Amino acid sequence: MSKLSKLFGAKPNKEKQSEEPSPRPEDITLFVTNPVQPKNAEEQGDDFGLQFHLLTGEVKSFANLPIEIGRGEANDINLEDDSVSATHARIYFDERVGSICIEDQHSLNGIFVNTLPTSKNILRDGDKIKIGNLEMTFKDTGFIYQGS
């Protein structure tokens, strides 16, 4: 009897174990009746990918990363408010943690995720992001990172 069996109270099996070998991987066949096909950009539509829901009701949708957020016109999400820095935050996929992250770009007023101040944070579906005086909700509606 193994130490784990003794520890968890398993009783020894008095019947002799069968001597059949385990199946080899090449002997196993899997049948998939309805495989899920990945969508390409044209089939995904506006509701697929990453979305940012602003309190004004506006929805910004993205299928690629990184996403730049700030007051400057060159940003992917342009927030016209004096409390927002010209280049305020960046959203990207961090391969080390395997998640979508937000990072402050040395802004004056910082960023908040779910009311907590942060300089860098993992984003999850439904997170509330505050940039300057403006708030938005992050929605992940099926984003698949394609690699860099």
Side-chain angles (χ1 to χ4, degrees):
M1 185 181 325
S2 74
K3 290 180 182 179
L4 287 176
S5 298
K6 289 178 185 176
L7 180 66
F8 291 107
K11 295 181 183 176
N13 187 0
K14 294 184 182 182
E15 294 179 20
K16 190 170 184 173
Q17 297 281 332
S18 127
E19 299 290 327
E20 286 185 34
S22 297
R24 299 177 310 194
E26 56 270 12
D27 295 334
I28 299 172
T29 303
L30 296 176
F31 295 97
V32 180
T33 56
N34 291 320
V36 176
Q37 298 295 325
K39 295 181 178 181
N40 60 34
E42 293 82 30
E43 294 173 337
Q44 290 173 357
D46 292 337
D47 60 345
F48 188 81
L50 303 175
Q51 294 181 344
F52 297 88
H53 295 251
L54 284 67
L55 289 180
T56 61
E58 186 178 2
V59 177
K60 303 278 188 175
S61 298
F62 297 90
N64 297 310
L65 290 173
I67 299 167
E68 304 290 336
I69 303 172
R71 194 178 65 243
E73 290 181 20
N75 292 294
D76 300 302
I77 299 178
N78 187 320
L79 302 173
E80 296 179 16
D81 189 276
D82 290 338
S83 65
V84 178
S85 296
T87 304
H88 201 106
R90 181 171 149 282
I91 296 173
Y92 64 99
F93 187 86
D94 189 325
E95 293 182 12
R96 290 174 291 158
V97 295
S99 294
I100 297 168
C101 297
I102 187 168
E103 183 175 34
D104 185 33
Q105 299 295 292
H106 310 290
S107 66
L108 181 62
N109 293 321
I111 58 175
F112 293 77
V113 175
N114 298 324
T115 70
L116 299 173
T118 186
S119 60
K120 187 176 188 178
N121 207 72
I122 292 174
L123 288 178
R124 292 185 174 80
D125 186 50
D127 280 349
K128 307 286 186 205
I129 303 168
K130 183 175 180 189
I131 295 179
N133 294 327
L134 303 175
E135 294 182 23
M136 62 183 81
T137 302
F138 171 74
K139 294 285 185 185
D140 183 351
T141 60
F143 178 78
I144 299 172
Y145 182 66
Q146 301 296 322
S148 48

